[in-house]
Amino acid sequence: MASLDAWNEPALAPDRDTKGGWWRSEVDGFVTALAIGPETVPIDEWVSGLWGDPAPFRDAAARQRAIAALQDRFDDIVQALDGDSDAYVPLFWRTAEGVVVVENWAEGFLEGMRLRFAAWQPMFRDQEAGTFLFPMLIATADERELAKLRIPQAERDEVAANLPELIRLGVLAMDRFWKVRYLDSLVGSVRRERAKVGRNDPCPCGSGRKYKRCCAA
């Protein structure tokens, strides 16, 4: 994560409040959405999604430092999520008084989702999985939007007090959702492939035996 110190360099964060880590936190949310999302997004789209096109870098070296920092954090997130769930920690912004602010992180996450919004639709349509995004939506909603949700004030206060951990758990749940969905698609593909194999055909496992005397036995 040391490479994320690069976000303190003005050339990498033009027109942003880098002193308090606000921009770094938004970037972390953005990269997290790409790390756990349903499709691989080319890194050039990461850059244009964060800085626009053309990105306002001072020179090619600054662009490369930005890309390296993005890729390093992406790899850190993937590694943490593939291991112990406690290893994954979002980089929320902390004020000088030590208050954890999640709004900018959540905004970055939603921006990252928008790069492949259509691909995220299966999660939205799933009755349980569709709730995983709820903490991010609460974090970014204004008072008018919150009023439309008709959530009792006491419940809203409780959610607000626990948003950092609820967001972290939401990321873990979304990551599991897409991994399970990917594995299910692989199993389905193997089953469809096996259905096409005749019983007297060579077994697709490569054993050299007939299918009926190998995997179909």
Side-chain angles (χ1 to χ4, degrees):
M1 294 185 190
S3 64
L4 283 181
D5 289 339
W7 304 121
N8 293 324
E9 181 182 341
L12 301 186
D15 302 322
R16 300 285 182 163
D17 172 19
T18 57
K19 292 182 180 179
W22 190 97
W23 171 231
R24 187 173 81 159
S25 183
E26 184 176 346
V27 169
D28 188 63
F30 183 90
V31 175
T32 300
L34 301 178
I36 70 171
E39 291 185 1
T40 300
V41 179
I43 202 161
D44 283 346
E45 290 188 45
W46 305 11
V47 174
S48 59
L50 286 167
W51 290 284
D53 190 14
F57 293 113
R58 180 181 60 224
D59 51 35
R63 177 185 173 89
Q64 285 305 117
R65 287 195 298 276
I67 289 175
L70 289 171
Q71 187 65 62
D72 283 352
R73 180 53 181 158
F74 180 94
D75 294 342
D76 285 343
I77 293 168
V78 170
Q79 183 177 0
L81 291 172
D82 284 345
D84 185 350
S85 60
D86 290 337
Y88 170 68
V89 180
L91 300 181
F92 296 128
W93 175 33
R94 287 181 180 270
T95 67
E97 294 76 25
V99 177
V100 177
V101 179
V102 300
E103 177 183 356
N104 51 305
W105 190 98
E107 288 175 347
F109 187 92
L110 296 177
E111 284 298 319
M113 286 179 56
R114 290 187 183 102
L115 292 185
R116 289 295 183 275
F117 192 72
W120 283 80
Q121 294 304 307
M123 191 187 80
F124 301 150
R125 291 194 294 266
D126 187 283
Q127 188 172 3
E128 179 183 0
T131 65
F132 298 159
L133 194 63
F134 186 66
M136 285 76 155
L137 298 177
I138 290 291
T140 57
D142 58 29
E143 283 300 319
R144 185 177 61 179
E145 291 168 333
L146 288 173
K148 291 180 180 179
L149 297 176
R150 297 181 179 179
I151 302 174
Q153 186 63 48
E155 186 174 339
R156 283 171 52 180
D157 292 342
E158 182 177 358
V159 170
N162 294 283
L163 270 179
E165 180 62 9
L166 291 175
I167 286 176
R168 192 185 78 86
L169 294 176
V171 169
L172 295 176
M174 285 186 275
D175 180 59
R176 285 194 298 270
F177 174 83
W178 290 116
K179 284 176 178 175
V180 169
R181 188 176 174 85
Y182 175 70
L183 290 175
D184 285 347
S185 71
L186 289 181
V187 171
S189 178
V190 170
R191 287 173 176 169
R192 288 191 296 272
E193 198 61 36
R194 285 183 174 178
K196 298 177 184 177
V197 180
R199 289 182 58 78
N200 289 314
D201 292 338
C203 187
C205 75
S207 66
R209 303 170 66 188
K210 289 186 178 182
Y211 180 54
K212 67 181 180 181
R213 299 187 182 280
C214 190
C215 290

